[in-house]
Amino acid sequence: MYRYLLLFLLLAATASAQNPDSLEAHSRDSIRYTNLKARMSKTKFSRAVYRLLFRDVYNQGKVTEVKKIETNPFTPYEGMVIRKIYIRQLDILGESVYDTTRKGNQLERFLSKSVHTNTREGIIRKSFLLFSEGDDIEAQKLKDNERLLRSNRTIVDARIIVVPRTDVTWMADVVILIQDAWSLNFSGGFSSFKKFNAGIENINVRGTTHSQRTAIRWDAKDTADNAQKFQFRTIYTVPYIGKTFITGQASFIFEKDLKEQSIRFFRRFLTNETKYAGAVEIGHYNTQQYRRDLDNPDVSLPVYPTEYKYYDLWLGRAFKFPFPNSRLSKNSRIVTAIRHNKYDFEKRPNVAADTNKIYWNRTATLVSIGFSNRNYRRDVLIYGFGRTEDVPIGSLFALTIGQENTEFGARGYGGIQYATGKYLPHNLGYMYGIVNMGSYSKNGRAQQGVINGQLNYISNLIPFRYSFFRQFLVFRYTHGIRRDPLDYLNISGEQGIRGINNDQLIGTKRLTLGTETVFFSDKSLLGFRIAYFVFADIGLVKGGASIWKSPLYQGYGLGLRLRNENLTFNTLQLRVGYYPNIPGNSADFRFGASGNVPLRLRDFDISAPSIVPLQ
């Protein structure tokens, strides 16, 4: 089996050495892949690997990339001068960044070229590249740039290939392969001309990578007092403004339970080389909050009109690790940041010096210092259905302190955070853990404190017939310290017992354990890849009493997920669950169909100083 993988690596290296002055040279790859297919058809396992690498079931090359985990493919070209940058944009359907000879069928080519507008090449060069023609090649910068391209939702996958010049040995050309995602999404529902809704989202407006989402809802049947029959929302986002890597977003929402006007500009610590990050946000919210009172949980769910204005800004600076000879220095940074925000409520529940602190008028200033070690490893079939997934490995430690001035006096805040993630030895999988502790304090007494921890385990891909499956495990613990009756957490949904949305599974202490086995089928339905899953969730939640006095809430089930990575629709999920002791359930068995947003693994970049949330 190893000789097949070695053969693939040699073929890939040979293919990448073609001169991009004539990109048609890649067509010779097809002969090599045909020979490789014949050689890899001799055993069941090698056939399974070939199907993963070269069929349309999942993106190609990923298993090979996993075998080269710690190898940066650009290291051999370090220090060469970039002569030319070539950008090749693939059709959104039928083609692959890992097999440039593959072509879609006639319908796929028609949809790709006639219905979709590819991202403008000038936009990619101006706003998405960390390097330019004439720069020296920095291996880490090219690797980071590949990841940044893939992290943008307008792009399904991206690959950077360095092609050394044969005439000038110290120069090289860079080929960037980009495959866009489908840009238009539609949603809606129609009951009658008196009740309907419709929405449209374009994530790549005229090839600019700008996104706009607009939705309307009409409900003339709503006869409640002060009923709002017409509802509307629009959100516009510019992913990167010029060469600044600053993202801008404006929102206008006019709906029954939410009215929002906000504008936000932010820049993350995109790579280890990013020196500055920050954000500026200002907005006005008017919401209807449905919250139970922990002291009176049997009272019918009350509604609290809540309206407030706010602004929030922060600035961070990253410094290189001060010990250059340390093995941690390459990917490590010391990060300092300061944050200032203000919340001014116009409508809210009743407040007092010891009641409903989350609704206090307040102004806060926080500062933080932290250590971050970041790297990434390419993998496949974790939360995606074939796209390249950049798995963060590393660690972070952050200390936050500050002061909050409120209408009931000033109080201090302190918090710490530690997180680590890595692939386990002996191919045992991936482990991620995080611990947060934080609390306000006044007169030496803790207020609104939180201690929480989470542990995630993801197994390696396990071969099964012609495809693979993974095992997922997540453990969560949260302990709230001196929280108010309207300030609690809920363990239903993705925070604990998935498949239900129950307003009675609430408290200030939470302990949950969830497991899921996912089988990635090699079958597809109209271009949508299929994954089958089985899950089990158990959890405890309690308010003031000991958490061990809580019933053991349970949920078990199975289902399937459908997704086409070339489209930006949410993953379609069909699920049947059994919930034997959930309060208020009308039936133990529940069927659900939903559109799930694809999950991503947590990174180790340190951002704004923040208050540890109770969630």
Side-chain angles (χ1 to χ4, degrees):
M1 183 56 216
Y2 292 107
R3 66 177 181 271
Y4 296 135
L5 294 174
L6 179 61
L7 178 58
F8 172 76
L9 293 175
L10 292 174
L11 290 175
T14 304
S16 66
Q18 304 297 332
N19 190 326
D21 286 341
S22 176
L23 290 177
E24 290 80 4
H26 286 293
S27 63
R28 293 195 290 271
D29 293 351
S30 59
I31 299 175
R32 298 185 178 91
Y33 289 124
T34 301
N35 293 335
L36 179 62
K37 180 178 180 180
R39 295 192 181 196
M40 294 186 70
S41 300
K42 295 179 180 179
T43 68
K44 181 179 292 187
F45 184 76
S46 63
R47 286 196 300 270
V49 173
Y50 182 87
R51 288 165 69 91
L52 181 66
L53 294 176
F54 298 103
R55 287 186 61 207
D56 274 342
V57 176
Y58 302 112
N59 275 347
Q60 295 70 31
K62 307 301 193 309
V63 171
T64 305
E65 296 292 348
V66 170
K67 302 296 182 183
K68 300 172 62 179
I69 289 166
E70 302 301 334
T71 301
N72 186 326
F74 309 110
T75 300
Y77 314 108
E78 183 83 31
M80 287 187 173
V81 176
I82 300 174
R83 187 188 75 102
K84 284 285 188 180
I85 297 174
Y86 297 87
I87 296 176
R88 178 176 174 185
Q89 293 172 286
L90 307 181
D91 290 347
I92 62 172
L93 300 173
E95 296 191 331
S96 167
V97 300
Y98 285 94
D99 182 1
T100 57
T101 64
R102 179 177 303 152
K103 302 297 179 185
N105 57 39
Q106 188 173 356
L107 176 60
E108 290 173 330
R109 292 196 299 271
F110 171 77
L111 293 174
S112 297
K113 297 183 182 301
S114 302
V115 181
H116 172 77
T117 301
N118 268 338
T119 302
R120 298 178 189 176
E121 182 176 322
I123 295 290
I124 297 172
R125 291 180 181 271
K126 182 179 179 181
S127 299
F128 284 80
L129 298 187
L130 298 171
F131 54 88
S132 305
E133 293 175 354
D135 290 352
D136 291 347
I137 290 178
E138 299 178 48
Q140 188 61 44
K141 184 175 287 188
L142 265 63
K143 184 180 179 182
D144 285 337
N145 213 149
E146 253 193 1
R147 174 179 58 84
L148 291 178
L149 287 168
R150 286 192 290 265
S151 68
N152 191 283
R153 67 191 298 243
T154 65
I155 296 173
V156 171
D157 215 338
R159 185 185 180 195
I160 296 177
I161 302 172
V162 177
V163 185
R165 301 292 304 174
T166 57
D167 50 346
V168 184
T169 56
W170 50 272
M171 299 187 75
D173 296 328
V174 174
V175 181
I176 302 173
L177 304 178
I178 292 180
Q179 187 174 34
D180 275 3
W182 183 266
S183 57
L184 285 174
N185 296 326
F186 300 92
S187 62
F190 183 84
S191 174
S192 69
F193 286 106
K194 292 186 177 181
K195 187 176 182 179
F196 61 88
N197 67 86
I200 181 172
E201 182 180 30
N202 189 340
I203 67 167
N204 198 351
V205 178
R206 300 180 64 84
T208 61
T209 70
H210 297 189
S211 68
Q212 181 179 26
R213 183 176 188 273
T214 301
I216 62 170
R217 180 182 297 271
W218 176 257
D219 187 0
K221 296 182 178 180
D222 191 344
T223 58
D225 293 339
N226 301 319
Q228 182 178 319
K229 295 180 172 54
F230 177 74
Q231 302 181 57
F232 173 81
R233 73 163 50 200
T234 184
I235 302 172
Y236 196 90
T237 305
V238 181
Y240 297 135
I241 301 173
K243 200 72 172 177
T244 64
F245 290 97
I246 294 175
T247 298
Q249 185 177 77
S251 302
F252 179 80
I253 300 175
F254 185 74
E255 296 177 346
K256 179 179 179 180
D257 290 334
L258 173 62
K259 294 174 177 61
E260 173 192 345
Q261 305 87 44
S262 65
I263 187 168
R264 182 186 183 205
F265 297 93
F266 62 94
R267 185 178 195 251
R268 299 183 295 113
F269 285 110
L270 297 171
T271 72
N272 287 325
E273 301 302 319
T274 304
K275 293 183 179 180
Y276 291 96
V280 176
E281 183 174 1
I282 185 170
H284 178 267
Y285 275 76
N286 188 333
T287 66
Q288 302 289 333
Q289 295 192 351
Y290 298 84
R291 304 185 71 87
R292 287 192 179 276
D293 189 324
L294 277 180
D295 294 337
N296 301 285
D298 297 328
V299 176
S300 60
L301 192 63
V303 180
Y304 296 101
T306 305
E307 183 175 0
Y308 61 91
K309 297 178 290 187
Y310 75 97
Y311 67 80
D312 193 349
L313 52 94
W314 73 276
L315 178 66
R317 174 69 161 90
F319 301 89
K320 290 186 177 181
F321 197 63
F323 305 105
N325 295 326
S326 169
R327 65 182 182 88
L328 296 175
S329 63
K330 183 178 180 180
N331 298 312
S332 300
R333 293 295 183 268
I334 302 296
V335 181
T336 60
I338 183 170
R339 181 179 189 177
H340 181 74
N341 56 42
K342 181 178 181 180
Y343 289 81
D344 187 8
F345 285 86
E346 299 174 11
K347 296 179 182 178
R348 57 183 173 175
N350 293 328
V351 298
D354 58 353
T355 304
N356 292 335
K357 302 176 187 65
I358 59 174
Y359 298 105
W360 282 356
N361 294 326
R362 60 191 184 269
T363 302
T365 300
L366 302 171
V367 295
S368 67
I369 183 169
F371 165 83
S372 172
N373 177 263
R374 302 165 62 191
N375 205 350
Y376 301 88
R377 172 172 153 179
R378 286 177 286 186
D379 211 329
V380 66
L381 301 182
I382 300 178
Y383 294 124
F385 282 59
R387 59 178 171 82
T388 305
E389 297 180 70
D390 297 285
V391 180
I393 52 179
S395 60
L396 72 82
F397 176 82
L399 172 66
T400 300
I401 59 173
Q403 178 173 297
E404 183 178 81
N405 296 313
T406 78
E407 58 190 303
F408 297 100
R411 55 180 180 167
Y413 181 83
I416 60 174
Q417 180 185 70
Y418 175 75
T420 183
K422 63 179 180 179
Y423 278 86
L424 302 176
H426 311 298
N427 293 322
L428 292 179
Y430 175 80
M431 185 80 76
Y432 174 90
I434 184 171
V435 176
N436 285 294
M437 293 184 289
S439 176
Y440 290 100
S441 63
K442 187 173 183 179
N443 299 324
R445 184 178 174 85
Q447 296 180 349
Q448 288 180 273
V450 178
I451 300 174
N452 68 33
Q454 181 170 322
L455 187 67
N456 289 71
Y457 170 76
I458 303 172
S459 76
N460 270 10
L461 273 177
I462 302 171
F464 181 79
R465 294 185 177 273
Y466 295 115
S467 195
F468 299 85
F469 70 88
R470 282 191 193 269
Q471 184 67 43
F472 296 80
L473 184 70
V474 58
F475 169 85
R476 298 185 183 94
Y477 174 75
T478 303
H479 183 101
I481 302 171
R482 296 192 179 95
R483 313 299 297 201
D484 293 328
L486 297 183
D487 189 10
Y488 53 77
L489 53 80
N490 189 312
I491 68 165
S492 63
E494 297 305 317
Q495 295 299 318
I497 313 297
R498 76 196 83 179
I500 59 172
N501 183 15
N502 190 295
D503 57 50
Q504 298 182 46
L505 298 183
I506 57 177
T508 56
K509 306 179 187 69
R510 178 263 306 272
L511 180 66
T512 62
L513 177 65
T515 180
E516 182 177 84
T517 303
V518 181
F519 172 72
F520 297 93
S521 172
D522 64 343
K523 306 301 181 184
S524 64
L525 178 64
L526 301 177
F528 286 78
R529 310 308 173 194
I530 303 175
Y532 305 95
F533 65 92
V534 178
F535 72 90
D537 295 320
I538 57 176
L540 305 171
V541 64
K542 203 66 178 175
S546 169
I547 193 173
W548 303 112
K549 294 183 179 181
S550 164
L552 182 65
Y553 298 110
Q554 304 164 62
Y556 310 94
L558 53 84
L560 62 86
R561 299 183 180 113
L562 297 169
R563 181 169 178 81
N564 187 327
E565 289 287 9
N566 298 93
L567 306 179
T568 52
F569 306 144
N570 290 341
T571 301
L572 176 61
Q573 179 172 270
L574 305 176
R575 172 172 51 201
V576 176
Y578 171 63
Y579 306 94
N581 65 337
I582 303 300
N585 254 9
S586 57
D588 290 345
F589 285 92
R590 300 187 64 173
F591 171 80
S594 61
N596 285 11
V597 178
L599 300 176
R600 292 184 183 272
L601 293 162
R602 280 180 152 182
D603 206 341
F604 296 101
D605 60 325
I606 297 177
S607 56
S610 60
I611 306 300
V612 179
L614 183 69
Q615 64 179 31

